[in-house]
Amino acid sequence: MPRLIIDGKEHDMPEGITLIQACALAGIEIPRFCYHERLSIAGNCRMCLVEVAGMPKPVASCAMGVNDLRPSVDGTPPVIITGSETVKKAREGVLEFLLINHPLDCPICDQGGECDLQDQTMAYGFDASRFQDNKRAVEDKYLGPLIETYMTRCIHCTRCIRFMTEVAGVEELGAIGRGEDMEITTYLEHGMMSELSGNVVDLCPVGALTSKPYEFKARPWELSKTPSIDVMDALGSAIRVDARGKEVMRILPRVNDAINEEWISDKTRHVWDGLRTQRLDRPYVWRDGKLQPASWEEAFRVIAERLKDLDGARFAGIAGDLCATEEMFALKLLAEQLGSTNLDCRQDGARLDPALGRATYLFNTTIEGIEQADAFLLVGTNPRHEAPVLNSRILKRIRQCQGRLPVGLIGIEADLTYAYDYLGAGPETLAKLADGSHQFLKTLEGAERPMLILGQGALARPDGAAVLALAAKAAVAMGALKPELGWNGFNVLHTAAARAGGLDLGFVPGKDGRDIDGILEGASAGEIDVVYLLGADEIDMERLGSAFVIYQGSHGDRGAHRADVILPGAAYTEKDAIYLNTEGRPQMTGRAIFPPGDSREDWKIIRALSGALGKMLPFDTLQALRAAMFDAHPHLALLDQIDPADAAAIERLSAKPAKPGKERFAPAIDDFYFTNPIARASSIMANLSAMHKHASDKATGTDG
């Protein structure tokens, strides 16, 4: 263990770290512009200079490792000085050079108040420059609808380039020219096509790259900042919701090494404008051939009249992809009071069954566990669209292994940002892996911790149960279950934030109950009279026939267009609610703003409705609801912790006979930017969708 003397104090440091990291462990902050702990070392800004005793000039602490230093002649540890006059003058010189060409337009810069250059100039700069040269001017670049560029401010730290190459895996940004003529650009002058491109705005230490949708909207000190989690996919990425008054102004990532590190997808970051458009802010009732505004009492009265003396078998409830556990638990209790077991949270028809065991529908390895895997098999999934941050985690692991890590794909061929072996398109290929006859298994012989990731494209089909069993057989055949190592490599990647929570709560058909297909068939045939859509917008509304439809949700989307009664609910930024991510980790959103108009939190609506129906639910407060939910499902109380599932369930599943069809696995997501009502209400998402569609219609990157 290397020993260093930093500013007069002796410290033992871990092997292999850099001096800038060693100083941080010693409690000393070193200024930096180009260095970022999750990116490769560039060493080109020179702001992190420190003095090392015995060396003739200051060294860049980001590029010097603790193992590169040798003890003094007398055997004393290397001496690092971070606050000497030499270091001070070096840093002042660096800042003076950086500010020669910087436009100094802080009053109109969106980075103002959050700018590293501002902060470090205050700490290490001085009030005048000795240079009188004309400032350099650089033409702004087009990077798409998300990123506004002011390239004259650029200090050439190259963080954006390194991020796009190393984390996003798409080499869309680069540098042309040398010295003062260097410019950061996309080589073909088109918008960046990565689903993670918005993260470069956070990385930029100056105002060269700013958020185009947020441009000139607010200053950071005007905003209230609420920690929360994302529900645009099933990862549960840590986010911060910044709001002013009644509006969400922007969404930023928070650091969570277990899930998203400090990255979020473009959809997560920019869906905020969809939170304020097409909102349902009052109840509606179908009268005189159209939906008309109504009071809560009138809406409940209409529902009560329709449900009066209704046989429970003729009532059904469907939970949507953005539902929190509290409202699903409340609706499940209400359905039980009504005598109905026709419940389903699997809008897409995925053949996942809680009765088979939690391990059969969770991401058992955990997201952080990806960095221990030494082989991947992707089945019926495109993680770049279904979970972009998870896809970058796979890329990170592949880069750690210098690209020598085997990756196989069964399903639709796609650009995943890393190389893979395309094995086949459907269940027949999976069957060969399950029976041990596929040659890909030979490449896995030396793998100690292989990982299988099963996507909804393989499960949301009539033979999904057989595919699930076949995937379990394949996991056993490839050695993905190793209890002696504490390794369960069988993983299901969900696309809906509500799915794992709904399955854990048992929001699935009970005894003699109908699943999603059965509910729709029953409604179409007149066997289901009332359907309760709890934020469910992804089903075929035409199949509801003449059924009486109650829609509870936040946006006027497909479900609201079909509804007979609309009950306006709250979006995820407007309530404190628990979600389970694809790993089965309970996490809580934070209420940043209140629901608009007469909208209410969803559990409150169901509780009030139960009173109007004479089926009073046994709770009056959110705390009482959660107490009942935790009593029935204790693991939901373990916020930010994972209750590991028993891997024996996968072995039992693998023993079941499986005879799937021959159809190829279809993609689970048709359009990454239009997967839920909030995203479909967003004009930013519409622009991104149009840009990607336009790009895919071109034959080559040079087409006009």
Side-chain angles (χ1 to χ4, degrees):
M1 180 176 285
R3 177 165 292 187
L4 302 177
I5 298 175
I6 302 177
D7 288 348
K9 294 182 180 180
E10 201 166 310
H11 301 272
D12 289 324
M13 293 296 171
E15 297 280 350
I17 66 172
T18 60
L19 287 185
I20 196 171
Q21 293 171 314
C23 290
L25 291 175
I28 301 168
E29 182 181 359
I30 304 296
R32 81 290 302 271
F33 288 117
C34 70
Y35 173 77
H36 192 280
E37 54 270 18
R38 301 191 195 276
L39 304 176
S40 61
I41 303 297
N44 56 8
C45 78
R46 320 312 284 182
M47 191 63 199
C48 65
L49 294 174
V50 297
E51 197 173 355
V52 179
M55 290 194 175
K57 57 184 179 180
V59 301
S61 59
C62 70
M64 178 70 73
V66 296
N67 296 88
D68 297 330
L69 303 179
R70 295 292 176 263
S72 304
V73 177
D74 59 1
T76 58
V79 176
I80 313 299
I81 306 168
T82 67
S84 68
E85 189 63 25
T86 300
V87 171
K88 181 175 180 293
K89 286 186 176 295
R91 292 173 181 170
E92 288 176 351
V94 169
L95 276 171
E96 188 175 7
F97 277 118
L98 288 179
L99 294 175
I100 290 174
N101 286 313
H102 195 78
L104 304 179
D105 55 352
C106 303
I108 64 165
C109 178
D110 270 325
Q111 198 81 346
E114 299 174 314
C115 178
D116 291 350
L117 186 60
Q118 277 184 336
D119 296 341
Q120 294 186 31
T121 300
M122 287 292 293
Y124 304 103
F126 48 94
D127 60 354
S129 173
R130 293 169 288 179
F131 296 91
Q132 301 299 323
D133 300 332
N134 291 328
K135 289 184 180 289
R136 179 185 68 137
V138 182
E139 183 181 354
D140 294 336
K141 307 298 189 294
Y142 174 72
L143 299 183
L146 299 184
I147 302 168
E148 187 64 78
T149 60
Y150 295 89
M151 301 313 291
T152 302
R153 301 171 183 162
C154 180
I155 62 170
H156 302 161
C157 71
T158 69
R159 280 185 180 183
C160 55
I161 296 174
R162 285 176 283 147
F163 171 83
M164 293 304 297
T165 301
E166 300 164 9
V167 179
V170 182
E171 297 182 9
E172 293 184 310
L173 276 182
I176 58 175
R178 300 182 64 188
E180 191 177 71
D181 295 325
M182 176 177 166
E183 295 183 24
I184 308 295
T185 181
T186 56
Y187 298 112
L188 298 174
E189 298 289 335
H190 60 68
M192 292 200 292
M193 307 302 289
S194 170
E195 295 77 15
L196 296 169
S197 64
N199 290 286
V200 300
V201 173
D202 296 334
L203 288 171
C204 185
V206 294
L209 304 178
T210 59
S211 173
K212 188 176 288 186
Y214 177 69
E215 187 178 23
F216 308 137
K217 290 286 195 302
R219 287 298 194 183
W221 54 83
E222 300 174 335
L223 306 175
S224 61
K225 302 167 178 64
T226 307
S228 189
I229 61 162
D230 172 53
V231 299
M232 291 298 108
D233 56 31
L235 289 194
S237 299
I239 61 173
R240 192 187 84 195
V241 181
D242 288 2
R244 184 177 61 187
K246 297 180 179 180
E247 289 190 357
V248 172
M249 303 302 295
R250 63 177 181 178
I251 295 173
L252 299 176
R254 288 186 296 122
V255 175
N256 186 342
D257 288 327
I259 299 177
N260 61 305
E261 297 184 306
E262 58 188 89
W263 320 122
I264 54 175
S265 72
D266 291 346
K267 182 165 63 175
T268 297
R269 181 184 298 271
H270 290 289
V271 78
W272 50 264
D273 71 319
L275 290 166
R276 66 176 72 129
T277 55
Q278 298 184 21
R279 288 302 303 266
L280 299 172
D281 58 0
R282 65 181 67 181
Y284 287 85
V285 172
W286 186 269
R287 282 194 307 254
D288 302 326
K290 63 180 180 179
L291 284 167
Q292 298 188 21
S295 65
W296 280 104
E297 291 76 11
E298 182 182 0
F300 287 160
R301 185 171 61 252
V302 171
I303 295 172
E305 290 173 358
R306 193 61 193 249
L307 288 177
K308 186 178 181 180
D309 300 326
L310 182 72
D311 182 359
R314 305 185 74 84
F315 175 88
I318 303 173
D321 293 347
L322 303 182
C323 292
T325 54
E326 289 90 347
E327 54 251 34
M328 286 191 286
F329 181 74
L331 182 57
K332 184 172 183 284
L333 290 182
L334 180 59
E336 291 173 357
Q337 297 270 31
L338 296 171
S340 175
T341 56
N342 302 322
L343 298 173
D344 209 339
C345 64
R346 303 160 299 184
Q347 282 190 103
D348 57 3
R351 308 297 176 173
L352 295 167
D353 188 353
L356 298 174
R358 293 182 77 228
T360 63
Y361 61 81
L362 293 181
F363 202 94
N364 297 290
T365 309
T366 74
I367 297 168
E368 199 171 20
I370 289 174
E371 296 185 22
Q372 300 179 38
D374 48 15
F376 294 95
L377 175 62
L378 309 178
V379 181
T381 182
N382 178 352
R384 181 173 174 183
H385 287 167
E386 296 166 25
V389 175
L390 182 141
N391 192 65
S392 74
R393 203 91 181 221
I394 296 174
L395 173 63
K396 177 182 177 182
R397 179 57 179 161
I398 293 171
R399 289 177 59 86
Q400 288 173 345
C401 299
Q402 284 86 42
R404 295 192 294 269
L405 191 147
V407 181
L409 173 68
I410 302 175
I412 301 297
E413 288 187 86
D415 179 8
L416 299 181
T417 72
Y418 43 82
Y420 58 83
D421 296 320
Y422 184 65
L423 308 181
E428 291 180 331
T429 306
L430 186 60
K432 291 181 181 179
L433 283 162
D435 63 23
S437 62
H438 199 285
Q439 61 182 5
F440 183 69
L441 291 174
K442 295 181 181 178
T443 66
L444 303 180
E445 289 177 354
E448 190 176 46
R449 288 180 169 87
M451 176 184 288
L452 182 147
I453 300 178
L454 182 63
Q456 302 305 298
L459 298 171
R461 40 191 278 158
D463 61 351
V467 173
L468 181 65
L470 207 58
K473 293 178 191 287
V476 173
M478 63 190 282
L481 303 182
K482 301 213 173 133
E484 67 278 8
L485 298 177
W487 183 257
N488 182 351
F490 180 87
N491 302 291
V492 174
L493 178 60
H494 292 289
T495 56
R499 190 63 50 79
L503 293 171
D504 270 9
L505 290 170
F507 202 98
V508 292
K511 184 179 179 181
D512 300 325
R514 297 173 181 257
D515 62 8
I516 188 73
D517 288 331
I519 292 171
L520 295 177
E521 289 174 6
S524 181
E527 298 168 359
I528 297 287
D529 291 332
V530 179
V531 180
Y532 200 117
L533 301 181
L534 184 60
D537 293 277
E538 314 306 323
I539 62 174
D540 184 357
M541 299 297 167
E542 294 182 0
R543 295 182 64 190
L544 291 173
S546 60
F548 182 81
V549 176
I550 306 164
Y551 178 78
Q552 179 179 330
S554 60
H555 283 69
D557 204 72
R558 299 163 183 165
H561 291 167
R562 172 57 186 84
D564 295 285
V565 176
I566 294 175
L567 306 176
Y572 70 105
T573 55
E574 299 159 1
K575 57 187 176 183
D576 296 311
I578 295 173
Y579 288 83
L580 263 71
N581 74 346
T582 192
E583 310 165 290
R585 183 194 303 270
Q587 298 175 287
M588 189 177 292
T589 61
R591 184 171 63 192
I593 57 175
F594 288 93
D598 289 335
S599 303
R600 298 290 183 267
E601 292 184 46
D602 294 274
W603 74 268
K604 290 183 178 179
I605 296 173
I606 297 170
R607 165 63 177 77
L609 176 60
S610 71
L613 297 177
K615 307 285 186 180
M616 189 70 73
L617 295 178
F619 48 80
D620 294 321
T621 65
L622 182 59
Q623 290 74 20
L625 185 159
R626 285 179 178 160
M629 185 171 70
F630 295 158
D631 185 56
H633 308 279
H635 68 283
L636 297 182
L638 304 174
L639 291 180
D640 299 316
Q641 301 178 51
I642 296 177
D643 182 23
D646 186 3
I650 299 167
E651 295 180 350
R652 292 193 297 270
L653 179 61
S654 68
K656 292 192 173 188
K659 295 183 179 179
K662 297 183 179 181
E663 295 81 10
R664 65 190 305 181
F665 297 138
I669 293 177
D670 294 326
D671 190 329
F672 171 71
Y673 299 103
F674 283 159
T675 55
N676 59 65
I678 302 176
R680 287 191 287 270
S682 166
S683 61
I684 302 173
M685 295 300 106
N687 290 337
L688 287 169
S689 176
M691 183 182 76
H692 280 257
K693 186 178 186 303
H694 181 63
S696 64
D697 289 342
K698 293 182 177 181
T700 69
T702 56
D703 284 352

